[in-house]
């Protein structure tokens, strides 16, 4: 199982092993990483699971969907090129070693 | 040590327990639920979970060790049978537990079909819990014939989900249109044609007269005089707040357990949150049945138990997934006198904006995240764009 490191807005690191096939949002909730709110639990309806993903993994993560991209334009913390809704990113083995930064606001 | 007991281990109960710990409450927390499962999400039950696309263990709201790690005493498969407010005590089975603060997060119960119309036959289901889906699942499969009673969000979501698994679906809605209670005619029209295109037989203004069969349901007699053969029936005609315990304990109940803006019931040290609670809003008792509301209200109650004295301001929003369409709703549309349509930037996207005079109340956004997010911000801030800008102007 790949290891993913979440970094909270305060800079605290949480390295976790992530089950393949789940979403990064689910992993964050399961491991109780603070700062990922996920009010709609992965329906891409709330934009409170926004995270900044390691740019080195952009290709492995895959492209942003249209609906997701529209939601990302309205996140509480600024959108950056590496912004994703973590509920829309599936864990695959090539994500091993990736870092995910959690914004200060959701 | 101070002890907070929570009845109901659903969305509100689990959020409340988690929030108490997040706010560094170091007393005892007991979370009691009558279902055998740790707290889980209900929305997928009528969507991906019903079609088998999502496994049961992925419904859980928190990881398996969450409650133990936070010292939350989670008791499952345990039904609280009585509250004794005079003694600050609750009872379940032969056990009794003293509390300092008690929270009712008992949720709601689906309304069943009366026995007179055949409601007692086998193969008739409501959908609220994982247990319900487990009962329905064996009946689902290509070629099976389902009748859905009720064209609200749950009925329509179930219709879409079953249709996608090859079930032949008939949906009856007694009112003149689907979503009549919750949405404007335009939104109803959108979903009517969506369902019709995908092959759901949608009958509006048609009531169920009776369900017939020997011991299990075989056919349905409808008010338009027709008869449909069915293998199973799902009833989605609304819910009632679960207030039995509260009523027996003498708490004020009116369309749910009455709470003040901070979440207090009429009983000392007793709070309520989520689907079971009715709050005073714009002069009437309102219940909001949605996940975000359950979370927000529960978190406010957690803070108030710890002395925050904070009023809860509902910022209602909701979503529904049907086929490949995502509906996102912000605000509460009750009292609207007109709707304004806004075309979305992407093909097939649009939104309907509800106004009372010049005041924006709510928005239904269909495959249109931009309209939804913009409207949500405006409504949360109490701002109203001009209806003309909504129709064809800039909104920022
Ligand atoms: C099929 C379905 C689809 C939905 N889809 C959406 C959606 O897309 N978006 C959305 O926002 N909302 C949706 N909802 C609504 C949302 O799930 C509810 O608003 C939310 O779950 C309410 O949370 P709650 O904690 O108040 O109640 P619940 O989650 O129902 O939890 C209450 C719990 O208390 C237990 N309980 C009751 N009495 C007792 C007792 N005496 N002792 C012990 N335990 C007791 C109940 O069994 C239950 O487990 C959906 C609901 C359903 C059923
Ligand atoms: S959890 Fe709501 S958008 Fe990801």
């Amino acid at each position: 199982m790949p290891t993913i490191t979440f970094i909270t807005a305060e800079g605290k690191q949480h390295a976790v092993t992530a089950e393949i096939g789940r979403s990064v949002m689910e992993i964050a909730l399961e491991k109780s990483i603070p700062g990922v709110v996920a009010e709609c639990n992965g329906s891409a309806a709330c934009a409170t699971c926004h995270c900044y993903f390691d740019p080195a993994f952009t290709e492995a993560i895959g492209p942003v969907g249209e609906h997701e991209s529209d939601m990302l334009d309205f996140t509480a913390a600024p959108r950056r090129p590496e912004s994703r809704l973590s509920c829309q990113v599936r864990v695959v083995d090539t994500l091993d070693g990736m870092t995910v930064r959690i914004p200060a606001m959701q | 040590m101070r002890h907070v007991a929570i009845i109901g281990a659903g969305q509100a109960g689990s959020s409340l327990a988690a929030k108490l710990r997040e706010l560094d409450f170091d007393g005892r927390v007991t979370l009691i639920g009558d279902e055998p499962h740790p707290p889980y999400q209900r929305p997928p039950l009528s969507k991906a979970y019903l079609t088998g696309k999502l496994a049961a263990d992925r419904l859980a709201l928190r990881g398996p060790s969450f409650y133990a790690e936070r010292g939350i005493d989670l008791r499952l498969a345990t039904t609280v049978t009585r509250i004794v407010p005079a003694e600050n005590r609750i009872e379940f089975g032969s056990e009794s537990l003293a509390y300092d603060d008690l929270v009712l997060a008992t949720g709601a119960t689906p309304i069943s079909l009366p026995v007179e119309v055949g409601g007692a036959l086998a193969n008739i289901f409501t959908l609220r819990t994982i247990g319900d889906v487990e009962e329905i699942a064996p009946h689902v499969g290509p070629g099976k014939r389902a009748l859905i009673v009720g064209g609200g969000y749950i009925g329509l979501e179930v219709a879409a989900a079953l249709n996608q698994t090859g079930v032949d679906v008939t949906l009856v809605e007694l009112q003149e249109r689907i979503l009549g209670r919750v949405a404007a005619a335009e939104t109803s029209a959108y979903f009517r044609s969506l369902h019709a295109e995908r092959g759901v037989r949608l009958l509006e203004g048609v009531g169920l007269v009776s369900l017939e069969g020997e011991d299990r349901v075989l056919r349905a007699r409808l008010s338009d005089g027709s008869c449909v053969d069915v293998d199973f029936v799902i009833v989605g005609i609304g819910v009632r707040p679960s207030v039995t315990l509260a009523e027996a304990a003498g708490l004020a109940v009116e369309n749910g357990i009455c709470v003040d803006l901070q979440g207090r019931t009429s009983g000392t040290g007793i709070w309520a949150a989520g689907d079971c609670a009715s709050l005073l809003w714009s002069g009437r008792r309102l219940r909001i049945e949605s996940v975000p509301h359950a979370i927000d209200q529960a978190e406010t109650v957690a803070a108030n138990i710890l002395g925050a004295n904070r009023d809860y301001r509902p910022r209602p929003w909701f979503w529904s997934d049907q086929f490949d369409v995502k509906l996102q709703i912000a605000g509460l549309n009750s009292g609207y006198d007109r709707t304004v349509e806004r075309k979305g930037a992407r093909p097939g996207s649009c939104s309907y904006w509800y106004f009372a005079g010049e005041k924006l109340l709510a928005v239904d956004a269909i495959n249109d995240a931009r309209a939804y997010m913009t409207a949500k911000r405006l409504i949360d801030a109490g701002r109203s764009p001009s209806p003309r800008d909504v129709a064809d102007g800039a909104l920022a």
Side-chain angles (χ1 to χ4, degrees):
Chain A
M1 281 197 285
T3 298
I4 294 178
T5 303
F6 290 94
I7 306 175
T8 65
E10 296 80 42
K12 229 176 135 209
Q13 304 211 357
H14 304 261
V16 303
T17 50
E19 198 180 319
I20 287 171
R22 299 214 166 198
S23 74
V24 170
M25 177 279 287
E26 284 177 71
I27 304 296
L29 286 198
E30 174 157 341
K31 312 285 181 187
S32 309
I33 312 291
V36 178
V37 177
E39 285 206 329
C40 76
N41 263 295
S43 284
C46 70
T48 64
C49 66
H50 173 213
C51 291
Y52 301 118
F53 282 70
D54 195 336
F57 289 80
T58 306
E59 210 165 304
I61 292 169
V64 186
E66 282 189 348
H67 174 83
E68 181 188 351
S69 180
D70 285 346
M71 296 288 292
L72 282 169
D73 279 342
F74 294 88
T75 46
R79 178 178 188 172
R80 297 202 215 124
E82 67 274 24
S83 285
R84 293 294 306 261
L85 295 179
S86 58
C87 68
Q88 301 304 302
V89 177
R90 303 263 140 230
V91 177
V92 289
D93 51 11
T94 47
L95 297 188
D96 190 32
M98 176 175 70
T99 56
V100 177
R101 290 180 178 273
I102 298 165
M105 274 182 301
Q106 290 289 3
Chain B
M1 202 196 289
R2 187 165 170 201
H3 179 207
V4 180
I6 305 164
I7 309 177
Q11 183 70 66
S14 63
S15 298
L16 197 133
K19 193 68 184 182
L20 284 173
R21 289 300 186 224
E22 222 178 285
L23 295 172
D24 292 328
F25 175 63
D26 60 2
R28 261 176 82 195
V29 178
T30 311
L31 179 59
I32 310 165
D34 54 6
E35 294 184 63
H37 312 275
Y40 60 91
Q41 320 161 40
R42 296 189 194 283
L45 296 183
S46 52
K47 308 176 182 92
Y49 187 64
L50 187 60
T51 58
K53 273 190 243 154
L54 199 68
D57 64 332
R58 295 190 54 182
L59 292 177
L61 283 166
R62 316 272 176 176
S65 54
F66 181 87
Y67 303 94
E69 276 168 10
R70 278 162 185 70
I72 296 167
D73 182 4
L74 177 62
R75 307 205 187 177
L76 300 174
T78 304
T79 307
V80 175
T81 45
R82 193 156 86 104
I83 305 170
V84 192
E87 299 168 25
N88 276 30
R89 200 161 60 73
I90 55 177
E91 292 174 359
F92 35 98
S94 54
E95 261 191 89
S96 175
L97 194 66
Y99 62 78
D100 298 295
D101 292 274
L102 178 67
V103 184
L104 293 167
T106 47
T109 318
I111 300 173
S112 299
L113 281 183
V115 175
E116 305 87 83
V117 300
L121 291 169
N123 294 2
I124 303 175
F125 308 98
T126 52
L127 207 180
R128 178 83 190 177
T129 64
I130 289 184
D132 294 335
V133 179
E134 282 167 355
E135 284 185 29
I136 295 167
H139 301 275
V140 176
K144 290 290 179 68
R145 296 156 306 179
L147 175 75
I148 296 172
V149 185
Y153 288 119
I154 292 200
L156 290 167
E157 287 180 0
V158 169
L162 291 179
N163 171 279
Q164 286 168 295
T165 63
V167 173
D168 176 52
V169 180
T170 304
L171 182 148
V172 288
E173 167 56 57
L174 180 61
Q175 303 298 316
E176 74 183 41
R177 59 181 172 91
I178 53 165
L179 301 175
R181 199 174 56 85
V182 289
E186 293 86 345
T187 301
S188 299
Y190 186 100
F191 284 96
R192 176 185 307 118
S193 38
L194 175 71
H195 280 264
E197 274 162 28
R198 309 297 166 105
V200 172
R201 225 171 122 227
L202 220 160
L203 307 174
E204 296 169 292
V206 173
L208 173 70
V209 174
S210 61
L211 295 174
E212 299 168 356
E214 286 291 304
D215 40 300
R216 70 179 180 87
V217 60
L218 292 175
R219 83 191 73 76
R221 204 168 283 288
L222 306 179
S223 64
D224 61 0
S226 68
C227 234
V228 221
D229 291 334
V230 294
D231 297 307
F232 68 103
V233 175
I234 298 185
V235 182
I237 53 176
V239 297
R240 286 203 184 92
S242 301
V243 298
T244 328
L245 281 179
E247 262 172 349
L251 302 182
V253 170
E254 188 189 327
N255 180 30
I257 305 166
C258 298
V259 293
D260 66 11
L261 286 178
Q262 303 203 344
R264 280 185 202 85
T265 71
S266 61
T268 315
I270 308 181
W271 312 74
D275 279 11
C276 69
S278 79
L279 63 146
L280 208 52
W281 186 247
S282 306
R284 68 188 177 109
R285 285 268 155 208
L286 175 74
R287 276 193 324 104
I288 303 173
E289 295 166 13
S290 82
V291 168
H293 162 73
I295 297 173
D296 287 354
Q297 195 181 29
E299 292 192 345
T300 307
V301 171
N304 288 337
I305 288 174
L306 303 183
N309 265 326
R310 190 191 310 152
D311 282 355
Y312 171 63
R313 257 196 51 209
R315 295 186 306 170
W317 64 274
F318 188 80
W319 76 93
S320 176
D321 294 307
Q322 296 169 43
F323 298 105
D324 46 3
V325 171
K326 181 177 295 295
L327 170 68
Q328 290 166 288
I329 301 169
L332 286 180
N333 65 19
S334 62
Y336 73 96
D337 51 36
R338 64 175 152 164
T339 55
V340 177
E341 179 176 7
R342 182 178 172 86
K343 294 254 177 290
R346 303 194 189 284
S349 68
C350 62
S351 53
Y352 299 105
W353 299 58
Y354 297 76
F355 283 88
E358 298 298 307
K359 189 174 162 51
L360 175 65
L361 299 179
V363 171
D364 294 347
I366 299 170
N367 280 344
D368 194 342
R370 308 194 72 84
Y372 167 71
M373 292 301 268
T374 306
K376 188 167 187 303
R377 284 193 178 175
L378 289 167
I379 293 168
D380 287 352
R383 287 172 49 205
S384 299
S386 87
R388 188 154 16 94
D389 284 344
V390 164
D392 51 19
L395 279 175

